[in-house]
Amino acid sequence: MANSYAILKERYAKILNKYLQEKNEIGLYHAQQFSKKVLEDQISPEEMVSIHAETLTKLCPDLPAELTDSFDFLMEIMVAYGMAYREHQSLIDKQK
Amino acid sequence: MANSYAILKERYAKILNKYLQEKNEIGLYHAQQFSKKVLEDQISPEEMVSIHAETLTKLCPDLPAELTDSFDFLMEIMVAYGMAYREHQSLIDKQK
Protein backbone atom coordinates (compact mmCIF):
# COMPACT_ATOMS: atom_id res chain seq x y z
CA MET A 1 0.00 0.00 0.00
CA ALA A 2 2.59 2.48 1.16
CA ASN A 3 4.80 1.27 -1.64
CA SER A 4 2.26 2.00 -4.37
CA TYR A 5 1.72 5.47 -2.95
CA ALA A 6 5.44 6.11 -3.09
CA ILE A 7 5.47 4.90 -6.68
CA LEU A 8 2.59 7.25 -7.49
CA LYS A 9 4.50 10.19 -6.05
CA GLU A 10 7.62 9.22 -7.98
CA ARG A 11 5.62 9.07 -11.17
CA TYR A 12 4.19 12.51 -10.45
CA ALA A 13 7.63 13.95 -9.81
CA LYS A 14 8.82 12.56 -13.13
CA ILE A 15 5.96 13.95 -15.21
CA LEU A 16 5.82 17.32 -13.42
CA ASN A 17 9.56 17.76 -13.81
CA LYS A 18 9.34 16.95 -17.50
CA TYR A 19 6.49 19.38 -17.96
CA LEU A 20 8.35 22.19 -16.20
CA GLN A 21 11.24 21.68 -18.60
CA GLU A 22 9.32 21.20 -21.82
CA LYS A 23 5.96 22.87 -21.18
CA ASN A 24 4.11 21.16 -24.00
CA GLU A 25 0.84 19.35 -24.75
CA ILE A 26 2.47 15.95 -24.27
CA GLY A 27 3.17 16.92 -20.68
CA LEU A 28 -0.45 17.90 -20.15
CA TYR A 29 -1.49 14.59 -21.70
CA HIS A 30 0.62 12.81 -19.07
CA ALA A 31 -1.19 14.88 -16.45
CA GLN A 32 -4.52 13.65 -17.79
CA GLN A 33 -3.37 10.04 -17.71
CA PHE A 34 -2.10 10.53 -14.16
CA SER A 35 -5.43 12.01 -13.12
CA LYS A 36 -7.21 8.81 -14.13
CA LYS A 37 -4.85 6.90 -11.84
CA VAL A 38 -5.43 9.16 -8.81
CA LEU A 39 -9.18 8.86 -9.19
CA GLU A 40 -8.87 5.06 -9.49
CA ASP A 41 -6.75 5.03 -6.33
CA GLN A 42 -9.27 7.30 -4.61
CA ILE A 43 -6.74 9.98 -3.87
CA SER A 44 -8.71 12.93 -2.51
CA PRO A 45 -8.42 16.41 -4.07
CA GLU A 46 -6.65 17.76 -0.99
CA GLU A 47 -4.22 14.83 -1.07
CA MET A 48 -3.52 15.59 -4.74
CA VAL A 49 -2.71 19.21 -3.87
CA SER A 50 -0.47 17.93 -1.08
CA ILE A 51 1.38 15.63 -3.50
CA HIS A 52 1.77 18.54 -5.89
CA ALA A 53 3.09 20.87 -3.17
CA GLU A 54 5.54 18.28 -1.88
CA THR A 55 6.77 17.46 -5.36
CA LEU A 56 7.16 21.08 -6.41
CA THR A 57 9.10 21.89 -3.25
CA LYS A 58 11.52 19.03 -3.98
CA LEU A 59 11.93 19.96 -7.64
CA CYS A 60 12.35 23.68 -6.91
CA PRO A 61 13.87 23.99 -3.40
CA ASP A 62 14.44 27.75 -3.72
CA LEU A 63 10.77 28.61 -3.87
CA PRO A 64 9.78 31.09 -1.13
CA ALA A 65 7.92 30.12 2.03
CA GLU A 66 4.75 31.90 0.87
CA LEU A 67 4.37 29.18 -1.70
CA THR A 68 4.30 26.31 0.80
CA ASP A 69 1.99 28.36 3.01
CA SER A 70 -0.32 29.08 0.11
CA PHE A 71 -0.62 25.37 -0.61
CA ASP A 72 -1.72 24.76 2.99
CA PHE A 73 -4.47 27.29 2.36
CA LEU A 74 -5.50 25.72 -0.94
CA MET A 75 -5.54 22.27 0.66
CA GLU A 76 -7.98 23.52 3.29
CA ILE A 77 -10.33 24.54 0.49
CA MET A 78 -9.88 21.30 -1.41
CA VAL A 79 -11.00 19.35 1.67
CA ALA A 80 -14.52 20.61 0.97
CA TYR A 81 -14.45 19.28 -2.58
CA GLY A 82 -13.30 15.90 -1.30
CA MET A 83 -16.05 15.77 1.30
CA ALA A 84 -18.72 16.73 -1.23
CA TYR A 85 -17.51 14.02 -3.57
CA ARG A 86 -17.52 11.36 -0.86
CA GLU A 87 -21.00 12.40 0.31
CA HIS A 88 -22.33 11.99 -3.21
CA GLN A 89 -20.56 8.66 -3.58
CA SER A 90 -22.16 7.52 -0.34
CA LEU A 91 -25.63 8.60 -1.53
CA ILE A 92 -25.21 6.62 -4.72
CA ASP A 93 -24.10 3.55 -2.77
CA LYS A 94 -27.18 3.81 -0.54
CA GLN A 95 -29.48 3.95 -3.53
CA LYS A 96 -28.14 0.70 -4.96
CA MET B 1 -22.89 37.00 -12.76
CA ALA B 2 -19.47 38.24 -13.77
CA ASN B 3 -19.70 40.71 -10.94
CA SER B 4 -20.24 38.08 -8.26
CA TYR B 5 -17.31 36.11 -9.64
CA ALA B 6 -15.12 39.17 -9.39
CA ILE B 7 -16.30 39.66 -5.81
CA LEU B 8 -15.46 36.03 -5.05
CA LYS B 9 -11.94 36.49 -6.38
CA GLU B 10 -11.51 39.69 -4.38
CA ARG B 11 -12.63 37.89 -1.25
CA TYR B 12 -10.14 35.12 -1.95
CA ALA B 13 -7.33 37.60 -2.47
CA LYS B 14 -8.15 39.19 0.86
CA ILE B 15 -8.20 35.99 2.89
CA LEU B 16 -5.20 34.43 1.16
CA ASN B 17 -3.18 37.59 1.66
CA LYS B 18 -4.10 37.68 5.34
CA TYR B 19 -3.17 34.06 5.76
CA LEU B 20 0.20 34.53 4.09
CA GLN B 21 0.95 37.31 6.57
CA GLU B 22 -0.42 35.75 9.74
CA LYS B 23 -0.36 31.99 9.02
CA ASN B 24 -2.79 31.01 11.75
CA GLU B 25 -5.86 28.85 12.36
CA ILE B 26 -8.20 31.80 11.87
CA GLY B 27 -6.92 32.09 8.32
CA LEU B 28 -7.60 28.42 7.71
CA TYR B 29 -11.07 28.90 9.16
CA HIS B 30 -11.68 31.61 6.56
CA ALA B 31 -10.52 29.14 3.92
CA GLN B 32 -13.12 26.65 5.16
CA GLN B 33 -15.85 29.27 5.04
CA PHE B 34 -14.76 30.26 1.55
CA SER B 35 -14.85 26.63 0.42
CA LYS B 36 -18.55 26.42 1.33
CA LYS B 37 -19.16 29.41 -0.93
CA VAL B 38 -17.30 27.98 -3.92
CA LEU B 39 -19.22 24.72 -3.66
CA GLU B 40 -22.50 26.66 -3.42
CA ASP B 41 -21.51 28.63 -6.51
CA GLN B 42 -20.52 25.40 -8.26
CA ILE B 43 -16.99 26.53 -8.90
CA SER B 44 -15.17 23.48 -10.25
CA PRO B 45 -11.96 22.19 -8.62
CA GLU B 46 -9.88 23.25 -11.62
CA GLU B 47 -11.45 26.71 -11.53
CA MET B 48 -10.56 26.94 -7.84
CA VAL B 49 -6.94 26.11 -8.60
CA SER B 50 -7.03 28.73 -11.36
CA ILE B 51 -8.36 31.36 -8.92
CA HIS B 52 -5.64 30.39 -6.47
CA ALA B 53 -2.89 30.61 -9.10
CA GLU B 54 -4.10 33.97 -10.37
CA THR B 55 -4.42 35.38 -6.86
CA LEU B 56 -1.03 34.13 -5.74
CA THR B 57 0.65 35.57 -8.83
CA LYS B 58 -0.88 38.97 -8.08
CA LEU B 59 0.03 38.88 -4.40
CA CYS B 60 3.58 37.64 -5.04
CA PRO B 61 4.62 38.94 -8.49
CA ASP B 62 8.21 37.80 -8.11
CA LEU B 63 7.40 34.12 -8.05
CA PRO B 64 9.27 32.19 -10.75
CA ALA B 65 7.68 30.99 -13.99
CA GLU B 66 7.87 27.34 -12.88
CA LEU B 67 5.18 28.15 -10.38
CA THR B 68 2.65 29.38 -12.93
CA ASP B 69 3.54 26.47 -15.18
CA SER B 70 3.10 24.02 -12.33
CA PHE B 71 -0.40 25.35 -11.68
CA ASP B 72 -1.32 24.71 -15.32
CA PHE B 73 -0.25 21.12 -14.73
CA LEU B 74 -2.21 20.81 -11.50
CA MET B 75 -5.29 22.31 -13.16
CA GLU B 76 -5.16 19.61 -15.82
CA ILE B 77 -5.34 16.99 -13.07
CA MET B 78 -8.11 18.79 -11.23
CA VAL B 79 -10.25 18.69 -14.37
CA ALA B 80 -10.69 14.95 -13.77
CA TYR B 81 -11.97 15.55 -10.23
CA GLY B 82 -14.46 18.07 -11.54
CA MET B 83 -15.70 15.69 -14.24
CA ALA B 84 -16.06 12.82 -11.77
CA TYR B 85 -18.06 15.06 -9.45
CA ARG B 86 -20.37 16.26 -12.21
CA GLU B 87 -20.92 12.71 -13.47
CA HIS B 88 -21.99 11.62 -10.00
CA GLN B 89 -24.22 14.65 -9.66
CA SER B 90 -25.84 13.77 -12.97
CA LEU B 91 -26.40 10.15 -11.87
CA ILE B 92 -28.12 11.33 -8.71
CA ASP B 93 -30.32 13.69 -10.69
CA LYS B 94 -31.36 10.87 -13.03
CA GLN B 95 -32.33 8.66 -10.11
CA LYS B 96 -34.70 11.28 -8.74
Side-chain angles (χ1 to χ4, degrees), chain A residues 68-85:
Chain A
T68 323
D69 299 333
S70 80
F71 276 120
D72 292 336
F73 196 79
L74 181 60
M75 264 185 271
E76 195 71 29
I77 291 168
M78 285 295 149
V79 163
Y81 284 100
M83 282 170 63
Y85 180 78

Side-chain angles (χ1 to χ4, degrees), chain A residues 43-93:
Chain A
I43 305 289
S44 66
E46 67 270 26
E47 187 57 40
M48 185 58 236
V49 171
S50 174
I51 290 169
H52 181 84
E54 188 185 324
T55 307
L56 191 64
T57 308
K58 283 181 187 166
L59 292 176
C60 313
D62 296 332
L63 290 170
E66 286 94 350
L67 181 61
T68 323
D69 299 333
S70 80
F71 276 120
D72 292 336
F73 196 79
L74 181 60
M75 264 185 271
E76 195 71 29
I77 291 168
M78 285 295 149
V79 163
Y81 284 100
M83 282 170 63
Y85 180 78
R86 285 186 292 274
E87 274 173 25
H88 279 98
Q89 186 64 40
S90 165
L91 277 171
I92 288 173
D93 290 343

Side-chain angles (χ1 to χ4, degrees), chain A residues 43 69 81 88-89 95, chain B residues 23 43 69 81 88-89 95:
Chain A
I43 305 289
D69 299 333
Y81 284 100
H88 279 98
Q89 186 64 40
Q95 285 166 1
Chain B
K23 275 167 274 192
I43 303 289
D69 298 333
Y81 284 100
H88 279 99
Q89 187 65 38
Q95 285 165 6

Side-chain angles (χ1 to χ4, degrees), chain B residues 5-6 13 19 29 40 47-48 63 65 73-74 78 81 88:
Chain B
Y5 188 68
Y19 179 75
Y29 169 76
E40 242 172 61
E47 187 56 39
M48 185 58 236
L63 290 169
F73 196 79
L74 181 60
M78 286 295 150
Y81 284 100
H88 279 99

Side-chain angles (χ1 to χ4, degrees), chain A residues 23-61:
Chain A
K23 273 166 275 194
N24 55 22
E25 287 296 318
I26 293 168
L28 293 178
Y29 169 76
H30 286 137
Q32 280 178 31
Q33 294 304 105
F34 186 84
S35 71
K36 292 177 187 175
K37 177 71 179 153
V38 290
L39 281 177
E40 238 172 67
D41 289 3
Q42 298 186 321
I43 305 289
S44 66
E46 67 270 26
E47 187 57 40
M48 185 58 236
V49 171
S50 174
I51 290 169
H52 181 84
E54 188 185 324
T55 307
L56 191 64
T57 308
K58 283 181 187 166
L59 292 176
C60 313

